[in-house]
Amino acid sequence: MWTRDSQAARAARELQDGFYVNLGIGMPTLVANFIPEGVDVTLQSENGMLGMGPFPFAGEEDADLINAGKQTITELDRTSYFSSADSFAMIRGGHVDLSILGAMEVADNGDIANWMIPGKMVKGMGGAMDLVAGVKKIIVLMEHNAKDSSAKFKRACTLPLTGKGVVDMVISDLAVLARPAKGAPFRLIELAPGVDLDTLRMRTEGHFEA
Amino acid sequence: MANKLYPDAATALDGLLFDGMTIMSGGFGLCGIPENLIAALRDSGVKGITAISNNAGVDGFGLGLLLETRQIAKMISSYVGENKEFERQYLAGELQLEFNPQGTLAERIRAGGAGIPGFYTKTGVGTLVAEGKEHKEFGGETYILETGLVADVSIVKAWKADPHGNLIFRKTARNFNPMMATAGKVTVAEVEELVPAGSLDPDQIHTPGIFVQRLFVGRDYEKRIEQRTVRQRETA
């Protein structure tokens, strides 16, 4: 099984030199710690920044400089700032190469649900619907099973969708599932250390090709 | 030249407010919010506000101030997760809420300000957001119709301004402010610094003065940070 850090490191292997990348809040943020040597990526933050740097040193925080998770960050020598409209022109317009997001459910047709649980307080979708609709490649980082042990990679999402048929790859603590194109079936790409195919099948509801 | 300069937030809002009005308020989280104008709206007592803002502030700060006093009747936002009073009022049915995807919200405001009544987007197709909206195919892909947004008053926060209302924002405090400045029937800007005409580089102006009708220098900025995150210096 992979730890959260190992999952993030595995996701970082999908980064390619020159990519513009948007990382979601939570586990996806960890991917920035594992960018492979020799791979240069530019991080986009949907509140209006391209070229996001690391967290500031204590005492150097700037209230005017935050990321989409409202965390204080820093700028780099490549940084640019822009309005929310320009930011989503990048996202919706297909200019961002890759987005790595968390999810509550992913279906084997690529549907994703990650913004709302009916009956509970709904916080809102933020930029997630725009990201899954517009970014070229969508990778989901999530636990393979929910706290009640139900499978999160499902035949069909039960929660309200964030996007339909948009997910390209799922990296869980058990395995990597991916498909070559939207509309194609998911295939098993890699098992985490110590996980066998039977275990994966037992803990998965959605269809995938082994 | 028409005088756009006002001494403070209360004077800058004088004559613009009425119950049931629509107000756009700039900012992302607590970054780049018009602190002085929000406080002046609270003090004015104006009620039944439809507030268009990406977020709803936090308890006791930002738009959270106007939620506490029940001055907001409806929010149009993309994310409201940081506000307990918001949650309480919403679950009690005291507050209306319309969620828009963040990019759709930004574009609706941009479109409204640019005189564009509607546009098609693929964001939200196949989700709750698409329900009841016109669907249309372009090049084999499905898009939904979203409408432009305008406001009776837009309140925005900038870093620097000149007396003509030309604005420059700072870092990620820009966010929704430039589009909202275009989409208010009247736009009121508060700024950290007012500089003499001619001292801003015309090539560097983010919001041209035509979009700003009233202007004042804000005071006592708190600029609260929601998630203070730092890294350790490596010790030699």
Side-chain angles (χ1 to χ4, degrees):
Chain A
M1 279 188 46
W2 278 315
T3 62
R4 284 162 60 87
D5 272 348
S6 313
Q7 276 178 261
R10 178 61 189 81
R13 281 168 47 200
E14 299 301 320
L15 301 173
Q16 290 177 29
D17 197 39
F19 262 18
Y20 290 96
V21 179
N22 183 294
L23 300 177
I25 294 162
M27 203 189 328
T29 309
L30 299 175
V31 175
N33 300 333
F34 299 98
I35 298 170
E37 194 110 354
V39 174
D40 183 79
V41 300
T42 302
L43 298 178
Q44 203 256 15
S45 189
E46 66 264 27
N47 54 316
M49 179 183 196
L50 203 51
M52 186 166 52
F55 296 139
F57 294 117
E60 295 177 5
E61 308 93 322
D62 183 342
D64 288 340
L65 182 42
I66 62 168
N67 65 16
K70 284 115 181 169
Q71 296 171 308
T72 45
I73 46 162
T74 55
E75 64 187 24
L76 304 170
D77 60 7
R78 73 181 64 178
T79 296
S80 58
Y81 300 109
F82 35 82
S83 73
S84 303
D86 286 341
S87 179
F88 284 91
M90 294 173 194
I91 290 167
R92 200 191 306 99
H95 306 282
V96 177
D97 297 290
L98 172 65
S99 180
I100 304 180
L101 299 166
M104 297 188 276
E105 295 177 343
V106 173
D108 60 21
N109 64 357
D111 291 358
I112 175 173
N114 72 352
W115 77 281
M116 178 184 183
I117 303 176
K120 295 209 175 166
M121 176 55 195
V122 179
K123 296 184 172 199
M125 69 289 281
M129 285 192 182
D130 307 280
L131 284 161
V132 300
V135 172
K136 286 178 207 157
K137 182 172 180 177
I138 302 295
I139 297 180
V140 168
L141 266 184
M142 66 180 189
E143 281 84 41
H144 204 82
N145 300 90
K147 286 202 180 79
D148 67 358
S149 83
S150 64
K152 293 174 71 171
F153 184 73
K154 299 178 118 59
R155 297 309 307 268
C157 289
T158 60
L159 297 169
L161 297 183
T162 308
K164 239 184 137 36
V166 293
V167 176
D168 297 290
M169 179 180 270
V170 174
I171 301 174
S172 76
D173 46 339
L174 300 188
V176 179
L177 303 170
R179 52 185 188 161
K182 314 249 197 247
F186 278 87
R187 295 165 70 169
L188 174 62
I189 304 296
E190 195 176 331
L191 286 164
V195 178
D196 58 33
L197 184 57
D198 285 344
T199 308
L200 182 68
R201 284 198 194 286
M202 221 161 54
R203 290 181 53 181
T204 307
E205 182 198 303
H207 176 75
F208 63 90
E209 295 176 351
Chain B
M1 151 186 150
N3 180 32
K4 297 184 178 183
L5 291 176
Y6 288 75
D8 56 28
T11 334
L13 289 173
D14 190 40
L16 300 180
L17 305 180
F18 57 93
D19 290 349
M21 70 186 299
T22 298
I23 297 178
M24 285 184 189
S25 182
F28 178 92
L30 300 179
C31 182
I33 60 171
E35 294 183 18
N36 283 252
L37 285 160
I38 291 170
L41 282 176
R42 179 199 53 197
D43 296 344
S44 78
V46 63
K47 295 189 300 288
I49 297 169
T50 293
I52 302 172
S53 175
N54 189 57
N55 310 93
V58 298
D59 289 304
F61 197 61
L63 291 182
L65 289 174
L66 305 184
L67 289 164
E68 233 163 49
T69 51
R70 315 284 181 95
Q71 287 169 271
I72 296 178
K74 179 178 179 183
M75 291 278 328
I76 301 178
S77 303
S78 88
Y79 188 84
V80 297
E82 323 296 347
N83 195 311
K84 290 267 182 305
E85 177 60 16
F86 186 104
E87 181 171 348
R88 195 200 62 69
Q89 288 183 26
Y90 177 67
L91 294 175
E94 299 165 12
L95 181 68
Q96 285 178 273
L97 172 60
E98 178 187 320
F99 274 129
N100 284 194
Q102 195 176 143
T104 296
L105 182 62
E107 191 64 14
R108 291 184 72 191
I109 298 164
R110 196 197 69 81
I116 296 170
F119 60 93
Y120 292 96
T121 176
K122 58 186 168 182
T123 299
V125 169
T127 75
L128 291 176
V129 163
E131 283 179 9
K133 290 178 184 160
E134 184 199 328
H135 287 56
K136 192 165 175 163
E137 304 268 317
F138 293 90
E141 265 205 89
T142 305
Y143 296 76
I144 53 174
L145 178 65
E146 295 280 3
T147 54
L149 285 171
V150 292
D152 295 306
V153 170
S154 283
I155 56 174
V156 302
K157 154 80 197 315
W159 181 39
K160 290 184 180 182
D162 68 14
H164 296 276
N166 293 313
L167 304 181
I168 292 180
F169 304 96
R170 185 171 176 272
K171 302 185 188 282
T172 55
R174 191 183 316 186
N175 54 63
F176 280 81
N177 284 297
M179 295 86 73
M180 288 184 173
T182 71
K185 285 177 197 154
V186 179
T187 291
V188 185
E190 60 176 87
V191 302
E192 291 182 52
E193 191 185 349
L194 180 71
V195 300
S199 58
L200 296 177
D201 178 352
D203 270 330
Q204 305 300 326
I205 287 165
H206 298 136
T207 291
I210 191 170
F211 295 119
V212 177
Q213 283 71 46
R214 298 184 181 194
L215 176 68
F216 68 96
V217 178
R219 56 177 76 113
D220 303 328
Y221 280 108
E222 284 192 47
K223 291 198 173 186
R224 284 197 205 173
I225 292 173
E226 282 183 74
Q227 307 285 338
R228 189 177 298 275
T229 47
V230 296
R231 71 188 136 131
Q232 298 303 315
R233 280 180 204 277
E234 285 171 33
T235 44

